Amino acid sequence: MRFSVYQVSRKGGREKNEDRMGYCYTRDSGLFALADGMGGHPEGEVASQLALQTIAALFQRDSKPTLADPTRFLHEAIIAGHHQLLRYATQKALIDTPRTTIVACVLQGNAAYWAHCGDSRLYMLRGDKLVARTRDHSYSELQQTMSQVIPMGERFNRNVLFTCLGSPGKPVVDTVGPLMLQSGDRILLCSDGLWSSVDDNTIAEMLSQRIISDAVPELVEQALRNGGPKSDNVSVLAVEWESVEDSDSATGISTQSLGEEVFASTIQASVGSGQEVPDELDEAEIDRSIREINEAIRRSAQKKS
């Protein structure tokens, strides 16, 4: 398995960054996830981080080195994140539960699988064609879909969601897959800070015409410019799927030489560990961990030889 990945998150005009994202992988499976803590509820940054921690921990437990059923895994792991938020609120005696949206994607066996809850999105491009996009769990998007069938009245605010993690009711989780991958396919995960300020056509055009290490930061900066002084948090993670034979990318990650029990992750291990999570998260911050992972891979390969 070989892929390139690039991610950037910016605080924008908000007091703090409540978005979290990251990825983890074994020799034969990769998980990419992004969560957006919801304003108007307590500790949004904890909600998004806890949701990612949960799905990453379950991925580490279950991918040995592949997931038996990626679609089922995604659904169950996202629901598990929801229950972790409810437990957290109970333990902290919070009046309201921290809430978050989430979108997650598994790449395994030349196929992509994804799931989402809320309005954090996934886009998939093949060449210059937008192959797929998640549909937000918002009343405005539901109304837009229904208006094609029956006339609709007053428009809803796009920010009003009918489901998320941490809500009183059971979350709605939509899953897709398997969708077979081709070399060069690109998948982008983002918070609503991007798509609310940059339209789908621009996102697709930018992602198809530039390498992901150029496209991602430019998309983020464009969203911040369009959003102005009160811009939302903007977070984007992009992955390019590539075969080992076809790619010489210096930023590519090849997992071929990993042992079956090796697990690598850029997702922070715990909440409340005393370590501050910075508001500005970008690729430079995870470079060191990736270098350490690659060095461990090289050492492992040398021992085998």
Side-chain angles (χ1 to χ4, degrees):
M1 184 173 72
R2 186 179 175 91
F3 58 89
S4 296
V5 59
Y6 202 88
Q7 60 183 33
V8 174
S9 183
R10 293 287 180 263
K11 184 172 63 171
R14 300 299 172 86
E15 290 185 7
K16 55 187 175 181
N17 194 341
E18 296 182 317
D19 294 352
R20 295 292 182 267
M21 60 185 173
Y23 57 94
C24 41
Y25 56 89
T26 63
R27 186 186 65 193
D28 298 316
S29 188
L31 170 71
F32 306 83
L34 181 148
D36 178 357
M38 296 178 63
H41 301 278
E43 302 186 38
E45 71 282 5
V46 172
S48 54
Q49 184 62 40
L50 193 55
L52 288 198
Q53 285 176 208
T54 303
I55 194 171
L58 293 175
F59 180 79
Q60 181 176 13
R61 184 195 71 183
D62 294 347
S63 54
K64 301 292 185 181
T66 60
L67 297 168
D69 186 338
T71 302
R72 181 176 179 181
F73 165 81
L74 285 167
H75 185 274
E76 292 182 349
I78 288 175
I79 294 297
H82 167 68
H83 289 302
Q84 284 294 90
L85 291 179
L86 299 184
R87 291 191 194 99
Y88 178 85
T90 300
Q91 292 168 357
K92 298 286 186 179
L94 299 178
I95 297 174
D96 190 12
T97 306
R99 303 184 190 189
T100 185
T101 68
I102 189 168
V103 58
C105 177
V106 168
L107 303 183
Q108 178 176 297
N110 293 323
Y113 310 77
W114 60 80
H116 80 290
C117 178
D119 63 356
S120 290
R121 288 183 180 178
L122 178 146
Y123 295 79
M124 180 174 178
L125 277 89
R126 177 165 295 157
D128 60 354
K129 303 296 183 184
L130 181 60
V131 176
R133 172 175 80 76
T134 53
R135 295 296 167 186
D136 308 330
H137 293 138
S138 65
Y139 288 106
S140 63
E141 184 124 332
L142 179 63
Q143 186 181 51
Q144 183 177 346
T145 301
M146 291 297 294
S147 66
Q148 300 173 17
V149 181
I150 57 175
M152 302 294 288
E154 185 180 353
R155 305 293 293 181
F156 285 96
N157 187 315
R158 70 157 188 86
N159 293 317
V160 181
L161 305 181
F162 59 80
T163 190
C164 64
L165 303 193
S167 60
K170 184 177 179 180
V172 175
V173 180
D174 288 343
T175 58
V176 174
L179 196 153
M180 300 310 296
L181 292 164
Q182 296 180 11
S183 181
D185 284 351
R186 294 179 175 187
I187 293 172
L188 180 144
L189 281 62
C190 67
S191 61
D192 66 333
L194 177 71
W195 61 257
S196 64
S197 297
V198 181
D199 62 64
D200 288 359
N201 290 335
T202 302
I203 292 172
E205 181 179 354
M206 191 85 69
L207 192 61
S208 65
Q209 294 182 356
R210 302 190 182 192
I211 59 174
I212 59 173
S213 57
D214 288 343
V216 168
E218 178 54 34
L219 282 168
V220 171
E221 292 305 319
Q222 186 166 336
L224 292 173
R225 289 194 298 269
N226 293 349
K230 296 183 179 180
S231 168
D232 196 358
N233 305 152
V234 183
S235 300
V236 181
L237 184 156
V239 188
E240 180 172 351
W241 178 259
E242 21 184 43
S243 70
V244 176
E245 297 80 8
D246 293 342
S247 178
D248 296 320
S249 170
T251 60
I253 296 172
S254 175
T255 64
Q256 275 194 323
S257 59
L258 287 177
E260 288 193 3
E261 298 300 317
V262 175
F263 170 81
S265 178
T266 68
I267 296 174
Q268 185 193 14
S270 63
V271 168
S273 62
Q275 293 183 338
E276 287 292 325
V277 180
D279 283 326
E280 305 295 333
L281 307 172
D282 58 27
E283 195 68 11
E285 235 178 272
I286 64 171
D287 274 347
R288 181 169 59 184
S289 63
I290 296 303
R291 285 197 299 270
E292 291 172 354
I293 291 166
N294 289 333
E295 181 59 31
I297 293 171
R298 284 192 290 273
R299 288 198 300 267
S300 176
Q302 288 171 358
K303 287 179 181 179
K304 290 180 181 179
S305 60

